[in-house]
Amino acid sequence: MSAMEPINTHVFPLSHEPIEDWQIIPPASAGGPDAVGSVGLEGPAASAGDSGTSSSVELEGPAASAEASVTTGFAELGTIGGAEYGLWEMSAGAMRDIEGDEVFLVISGTGRIEFDEPLRDPIELAPGSLVRLDDGMKTRWYIDGTPLRKLFIAPGEG
């Protein structure tokens, strides 16, 4: 992409894939906006997330299909001054993540990020929200009814 080739970030196509097993937050644990306490980085799934292996917890029925439906999409658009920029999108639902250094601007959708490590107050996400995440932060993302799409800027890979 060059300065002469504008794109419409709202409709730019992203190919979605299901989240990984360690990123799944079971619906009973997701809690929603009124949940109290920390979930997501305890028990069998925590060791799965920390080691990168699949969780030994298997769900069946509607809970399993709800979890399987959470997807993310990504498109790297280019680089500038050694930094990469692109689009990232998450479908409605909940997931955990371990962040890399980035700054992002929410383009569409709403939700929130909760922080497990370091412990911080949640951040509400809406179009126009500008957020900075640090490498290694352990987070939980909760996205409302429509997908959340963001434009990100992150350090380039050396």
Side-chain angles (χ1 to χ4, degrees), residues 78-97:
T79 61
I80 186 168
E84 299 174 352
Y85 62 93
L87 297 173
W88 181 89
E89 185 174 76
M90 179 180 161
S91 66
M95 69 175 250
R96 67 175 48 96
D97 205 5

Side-chain angles (χ1 to χ4, degrees), residues 38-82:
S38 176
V39 297
L41 294 176
E42 302 169 335
S47 59
D50 293 339
S51 67
T53 60
S54 296
S55 171
S56 60
V57 177
E58 292 185 27
L59 298 175
E60 298 175 7
S65 62
E67 292 167 359
S69 66
V70 177
T71 63
T72 60
F74 166 82
E76 186 176 322
L77 300 177
T79 61
I80 186 168

Side-chain angles (χ1 to χ4, degrees), residues 32-153:
D34 300 321
V36 176
S38 176
V39 297
L41 294 176
E42 302 169 335
S47 59
D50 293 339
S51 67
T53 60
S54 296
S55 171
S56 60
V57 177
E58 292 185 27
L59 298 175
E60 298 175 7
S65 62
E67 292 167 359
S69 66
V70 177
T71 63
T72 60
F74 166 82
E76 186 176 322
L77 300 177
T79 61
I80 186 168
E84 299 174 352
Y85 62 93
L87 297 173
W88 181 89
E89 185 174 76
M90 179 180 161
S91 66
M95 69 175 250
R96 67 175 48 96
D97 205 5
I98 299 174
E99 304 300 336
D101 282 325
E102 76 172 285
V103 173
F104 69 84
L105 178 69
V106 176
I107 297 169
S108 60
T110 60
R112 76 181 183 288
I113 303 173
E114 295 182 1
F115 297 87
D116 290 320
E117 196 176 303
L119 200 53
R120 295 189 173 178
D121 289 336
I123 296 175
E124 295 297 322
L125 302 172
S129 297
L130 182 64
V131 179
R132 167 76 164 95
L133 297 175
D134 294 326
D135 188 45
M137 286 180 151
K138 294 181 180 178
T139 58
R140 287 172 283 136
W141 291 69
Y142 298 94
I143 305 306
D144 301 329
T146 60
L148 181 128
R149 184 173 280 213
K150 67 181 186 178
L151 172 67
F152 70 87
I153 302 171

